Amino acid sequence: MDIVTAQEMYERDQAAAEAGLAGPMLMENAGRAAACDLVRHIQKSDRIIVWIGAGSNGGDGFVIARTLLNLGYTVEAVQVVPDDKIKGDAAVHKQIFQASGHTVKKWTDVEDAEEYLRRADVSIDAMLGIGVRGDLREPYNQIVRYCNEAPLLRLAVDLPTGVPADEGVEEFTAYKAAYTSVIEAPKLSAFLQHTQPWYGQWSVVEIGIPPKTAPSVNRRLWTVDDVKQTLPSRDDHSHKGSHGRGLVIGGSVLMPGSAAMTSRAALRSGSGLVAIATEEGAVPSISPYIQEATFVQRDTLDLSAYDGVAAGMGIGRGEASQELIRHAVTHTDVPLLIDADGLYVLKDFLGELEKRTAPTILTPHPGEFAHLTGLSIKEVLLSPFSLAEAFARRYGVYLVLKGPSTIITAPDGEQRVDATGNAGLAKGGSGDALAGILLSMLMQSTSTLDGLSSGCVLHGYTADQLVQQGHSKVDLLATDVIDGLSHTFRTLSSSIT
C-alpha cells in the first residue's frame, strides 16, 4: 500500500482523469466507498450529521449523505460554506443530492452548530481535505471545537479537518476523529507521532484509480501480507550453516541482558549460529539465558567468519566502545547493524560509513537519530520521512527509525513503514529484541530492505498477538516477545518449523 504526499495524491487524481475517469465519477466512487466503510461504525438508530465544506472533501460529503439516506439512515447534510464556494465536481453532487429529494441545510452561526450537535449521535467530517494550509479559519475552527467537545461519535473522511497531509507542521487545530476512512492511499500524517492520534483508527478505501496510470512513489506500508510473501523458506535438507552465522557484539558486566536478548531473538528468528562478543565478566550472566550461543574474545575479534554482525547494545559509551564500533565498521564486509550505545559512539566517525560496500543498518529511536544528526527531537518527529531519506542517501545506509510507526529507508531513498506494535513495546529490551530479529532476517533474506521491513513487522505483530492473547500493554516484556516469535512463525509460514 502506497503512502503519499498531498501533491502525489493530486497527481493520482489527474492521472485518473487522463485515463477517462471524470471527476464526478471519481467523487461518486470515493463517497460511496467511504459511506460503506463508515457504516461499520454506525447504528441504524443513530442520528447522523454530515459537515460539508468546499472542494473535493465536501463533494464526497454530499455523496456520503445521499448514500446513507438511500440506506435508510437518519442524516442531516449541513453545508458550512456559502453556495458560491461549492464549485466543480462538488457542485455536480450537490445538485444530484437535491434532485434526489434531499435538503441541504446551512450553517450560519455558533448557535446552529450547537443545535445540530444536540440532535446528533454521529458526526461525519467532510469539510476540508488535503488542501488545508495553516490554522483553521471560521467557520471551520468553531465547528471543529464544538464537535470535539460534543459527546458523540466523530468520524472523518480522508483525513480529519485541520490535520496537515504532509510532515513538517507543528501547530494546528483539528477535528479529533475516532475513525477515519482514508481515500485511496494514506497520507504522511497518518504515521507521524503528533498527527496520527487525530485520525483515530483508520483504513483505506479504493476508489477506482487504475494502478498502472498512478504515478509511482517511493513509500509504502509494509504489512503482514508482505511478510508472508517474502519470508525466507527453510529447506528440509538445510543445516545450521545454511541460515547464517551471526555475531552479536554487545553486553557488559553491568548490562549483560542486552546481548543475551539480541542473541536469543536472532536464534528464535531462524539464525543457524550465533556467537556473542562481550566482556569476559559478563559471560556467566549471559550463558545460562542463551545456551545455544557461543562466546568469542571481544579484544581479538576475527570478523571474517560471520554472515552478519549486530553491534552496540549494552556496550557503554566510553572510548573503548568507540574503538569497538570503529573496528566493526572498518573490518566487516557483511551486513552490519549498529544499535543503542553503538549509535552514540558512531557519531564521531559517520563518514567511515560511506566507504563500506556491504550493507550498513542503523536502528535509532528519535532521540538517537537527533544525536546522530545534531537536530532536536522535535525536528525529527516533525519530519521523519524527509530527514531519514536525506540521511540514508548521504551516508549510504539503511536507516530503521523506530517509533509507533517505524520508517525503514534504503540508501536509494525507498521507504517502508511498519505500523504494527503497541505501547507494550515501550520498555527496556524491546530494541535489543528487534536487533536480533533484524540480524537474523538480514542473513536469510535476498533483499536487505525486505528483510528489515519484515523483521520490524514480525516484532510488532508478535507484540500485538501477545496483547490479544492474554498479556496487557502494562506487563508485556521484551522476553515475552522473543518467546512469542515461535507462534508468529508458525502462524505466518507453515514452511518454517
Side-chain angles (χ1 to χ4, degrees), residues 47-64:
R47 296 163 297 176
I48 303 164
I49 182 170
V50 181
W51 300 100
I52 298 174
S56 296
N57 213 236
D60 295 341
F62 284 118
V63 179
I64 291 167

Side-chain angles (χ1 to χ4, degrees), residues 184-209:
E184 183 61 26
K187 315 326 181 261
L188 296 187
S189 58
F191 305 98
L192 304 181
Q193 186 168 310
H194 70 297
T195 50
Q196 192 281 327
W198 297 87
Y199 283 79
Q201 298 297 311
W202 58 267
S203 62
V204 176
V205 296
E206 191 271 333
I207 63 172
I209 297 178

Side-chain angles (χ1 to χ4, degrees), residues 146-403:
Y146 277 94
C147 286
N148 288 346
E149 293 172 353
L152 43 65
L153 175 63
R154 290 181 295 275
L155 307 177
V157 180
D158 200 22
L159 72 171
T161 287
V163 174
D166 298 335
E167 61 182 0
V169 179
E170 179 181 359
E171 296 184 1
F172 55 89
T173 301
Y175 180 93
K176 183 79 170 181
Y179 178 82
T180 301
S181 185
V182 175
I183 305 298
E184 183 61 26
K187 315 326 181 261
L188 296 187
S189 58
F191 305 98
L192 304 181
Q193 186 168 310
H194 70 297
T195 50
Q196 192 281 327
W198 297 87
Y199 283 79
Q201 298 297 311
W202 58 267
S203 62
V204 176
V205 296
E206 191 271 333
I207 63 172
I209 297 178
K212 291 185 178 180
T213 69
S216 61
V217 298
N218 69 344
R219 275 170 257 97
R220 62 170 299 192
L221 182 66
W222 199 253
T223 67
V224 171
D225 287 338
D226 295 308
V227 176
K228 291 178 181 178
Q229 294 174 19
T230 59
L231 205 59
S233 60
R234 210 167 184 88
D235 188 270
D236 289 341
H237 301 287
S238 63
H239 54 82
K240 60 187 178 182
S242 304
H243 305 290
R245 298 171 181 265
L247 175 66
V248 174
I249 305 174
S252 60
V253 172
L254 296 179
M255 293 180 286
S258 299
M261 285 187 284
T262 298
S263 303
R264 190 172 179 85
L267 286 165
R268 281 286 189 198
S269 303
S271 297
L273 294 163
V274 171
I276 303 173
T278 189
E279 289 183 358
E280 185 174 350
V283 173
S285 298
I286 299 173
S287 56
Y289 178 73
I290 181 70
Q291 296 168 324
E292 296 85 353
T294 58
F295 292 86
V296 296
Q297 289 288 335
R298 198 166 80 172
D299 296 335
T300 56
L301 273 180
D302 177 9
L303 300 171
S304 63
Y306 303 100
D307 301 309
V309 178
M313 53 291 300
I315 61 173
R317 301 177 186 178
E319 185 175 329
S321 299
Q322 186 177 74
E323 289 308 309
L324 193 62
I325 296 301
R326 187 191 296 271
H327 179 75
V329 168
T330 56
H331 287 77
T332 55
D333 57 3
V334 296
L336 170 64
L337 182 150
I338 303 176
D339 185 39
D341 292 335
L343 296 170
Y344 277 88
V345 301
L346 175 67
K347 183 176 182 179
D348 290 341
F349 51 97
L350 275 172
E352 295 289 339
L353 299 178
E354 300 174 57
K355 304 174 185 178
R356 285 180 47 80
T357 56
T360 306
I361 302 92
L362 308 185
T363 58
H365 55 58
E368 291 164 339
F369 189 53
H371 169 77
L372 285 172
T373 58
L375 299 169
S376 68
I377 295 176
K378 178 186 290 187
E379 289 173 307
V380 171
L381 293 175
L382 281 176
S383 302
F385 284 94
S386 56
L387 291 174
E389 180 180 354
F391 188 93
R393 289 182 183 275
R394 167 70 175 82
Y395 294 103
V397 300
Y398 291 86
L399 187 76
V400 179
L401 183 54
K402 297 181 289 193

Side-chain angles (χ1 to χ4, degrees), residues 51 69 71 95 97 310 384 406 426 457 479:
W51 300 100
L69 284 163
L71 294 173
Q95 181 182 11
F97 183 84
T406 293
V457 172
T479 49

Side-chain angles (χ1 to χ4, degrees), residues 269 337 361 363 400 433-443 451-456:
S269 303
L337 182 150
I361 302 92
T363 58
V400 179
L434 175 61
I437 297 170
L438 296 182
L439 173 62
S440 180
M441 298 303 293
L442 284 168
M443 296 189 296
L452 292 172
S453 304
S454 293
C456 289

